[in-house]
Amino acid sequence: MIESTISVVDSRSLLALFGECDQHLRRIRDSLGVSITVGDGRIHVSGPEPAVLQATEVLEQLQLCAECNGAVSGDDVGRVLTGVRNGQAPGGAEALNVFRAGKQVRPRTPGQATYLEAVRNNEIVFCYGPAGTGKTYLAVAAAVAALKLERIRKIVLVRPAVEAGESLGFLPGDLQAKINPYLRPLNDALNEMMDYDLIRSYTEADLIEVIPLAYMRGRTLNEAFIILDEAQNTTVPQMKMFLTRMGFGSKIVVSGDVTQIDLPPRARSGLIDALSRFREIEGVAAVKLTAADIVRHRLVQKIVDAYEERRKKRRK
């Protein structure tokens, strides 16, 4: 017996997810033979491990449906139940098994499925798109799954601390305390897939590193899964330095949003430069995610669309 928990986004989505008189909830519970309760802002699923994994995936897919459409129909429940039982995901991609009990990570859109397929089949993958499309989260999930299967020996999560600039010295604490806020998004994704004690033991054993980009200089990493997040904020020399850290048996994923560049006006983004430079090299892939791949709160997609519309008008 295991238990899985799912964060509840808001009460309206929860009502849509459970259905009138909890009819959707009863159908999921009876179909998969699990116990489902709600408390402390979370949905708790308990039962045999295979059933809990399936029920968790069903609830997560239906929660996304509720957030995007404002409602969940009986047909939606039946379709998702059938798909999860048959091991289906958008685009036919397989689920990623991570360390946290009762947790599987699946692509939720065709674009995300294309992204994971590119990661599976290439040694270097560039992924770019707006906030909320799962660029970082799916890359971390792929890395954790590879570590669990012992396909790699370590995970290295990297992020530039561009926002700090010269003000870094004025922040309180030692150097690690100063850079921790810039690494927080990577740690958040990692915490979704591994228990705290396991993360700590793997970090102490040097199996997981979460570091700023500057710490990569002079290294060669063999049999590692290396992720560069917020890559739009690297310069061209920084991107070259990062990519040339790759050793034998390693895989690199570079993610970013080319519409949110925080570099000085005359500095060229290393991500934009790389996207134009490496497209024809075998073993390197570039995947573009769009607003259609956003899997956060439904308003995130509307916010992205609003900014994109304004940007298009300025071009005219």
Side-chain angles (χ1 to χ4, degrees), residues 11-310:
S11 57
R12 285 185 299 178
S13 295
L14 187 63
L15 290 172
L17 175 62
F18 284 2
E20 187 176 352
C21 299
D22 291 344
Q23 59 180 334
H24 300 336
L25 181 64
R26 290 198 304 272
R27 183 174 179 182
I28 297 167
R29 186 176 56 207
D30 295 343
S31 297
L32 298 175
V34 295
S35 171
I36 304 175
T37 58
V38 180
D40 301 324
R42 294 175 177 271
I43 302 172
H44 302 270
V45 185
S46 60
E49 182 171 0
V52 168
L53 291 173
Q54 290 186 333
T56 302
E57 176 62 24
V58 168
L59 288 166
E60 287 181 342
Q61 289 195 32
L62 291 176
Q63 185 179 36
L64 179 63
C65 178
E67 291 168 11
C68 294
N69 304 326
V72 174
S73 68
D75 288 341
D76 291 329
V77 177
R79 171 179 53 79
V80 173
L81 272 170
T82 300
V84 170
R85 280 204 199 97
N86 294 335
Q88 297 172 350
E94 297 179 0
L96 297 171
N97 290 308
V98 294
F99 284 95
R100 187 176 289 276
K103 180 78 173 181
Q104 284 186 317
V105 177
R106 294 174 182 267
R108 296 186 177 185
T109 69
Q112 289 188 348
T114 300
Y115 177 27
L116 283 184
E117 191 67 18
V119 172
R120 187 174 291 112
N121 295 327
N122 295 274
E123 288 143 304
I124 298 178
V125 175
F126 295 92
C127 181
Y128 60 106
T133 50
K135 303 182 297 294
T136 303
Y137 186 82
L138 290 175
V140 174
V144 171
L147 184 63
K148 184 176 182 180
L149 292 172
E150 298 182 354
R151 292 174 179 167
I152 55 168
R153 291 194 303 171
K154 72 180 300 177
I155 297 172
V156 183
L157 307 177
V158 185
R159 204 168 191 254
V162 169
E163 299 89 347
E166 294 181 354
S167 65
L168 189 65
F170 294 96
L171 294 174
D174 58 15
L175 180 60
Q176 193 62 44
K178 294 174 192 291
I179 62 178
N180 274 342
Y182 303 99
L183 305 177
R184 186 74 250 176
L186 294 172
N187 281 311
D188 288 344
L190 203 57
N191 288 330
E192 284 277 317
M193 300 162 204
M194 302 176 70
D195 294 326
Y196 173 78
D197 289 340
L198 186 60
I199 294 174
R200 185 173 63 178
S201 66
Y202 275 29
T203 301
E204 290 173 353
D206 204 31
L207 298 178
I208 294 177
E209 285 187 78
V210 185
I211 57 174
L213 179 60
Y215 284 31
M216 291 290 287
R217 190 173 299 277
R219 304 181 64 183
T220 299
L221 296 168
N222 297 314
E223 298 180 71
F225 199 121
I226 314 161
I227 299 170
L228 174 59
D229 189 36
E230 298 290 337
Q232 76 276 2
N233 287 330
T234 62
T235 63
V236 175
Q238 284 175 331
M239 180 63 76
K240 178 183 177 182
M241 180 273 291
F242 172 78
L243 294 175
T244 53
R245 302 308 94 199
M246 186 179 192
F248 293 106
S250 290
K251 187 182 291 286
I252 285 179
V253 176
V254 176
S255 67
D257 181 354
V258 295
T259 69
Q260 295 189 27
I261 297 174
D262 299 315
L263 294 170
R266 294 186 179 181
R268 178 166 172 78
S269 167
L271 176 58
I272 292 177
D273 177 80
L275 289 170
S276 64
R277 193 184 293 267
F278 301 124
R279 286 185 181 274
E280 304 303 321
I281 298 179
E282 186 177 353
V284 179
V287 179
K288 180 181 180 181
L289 299 179
T290 68
D293 299 301
I294 292 175
V295 294
R296 290 182 186 168
H297 193 279
R298 59 183 177 81
L299 286 178
V300 174
Q301 185 166 350
K302 296 183 182 296
I303 290 168
V304 170
D305 289 342
Y307 277 105
E308 184 64 21
E309 187 64 28
R310 177 65 62 86

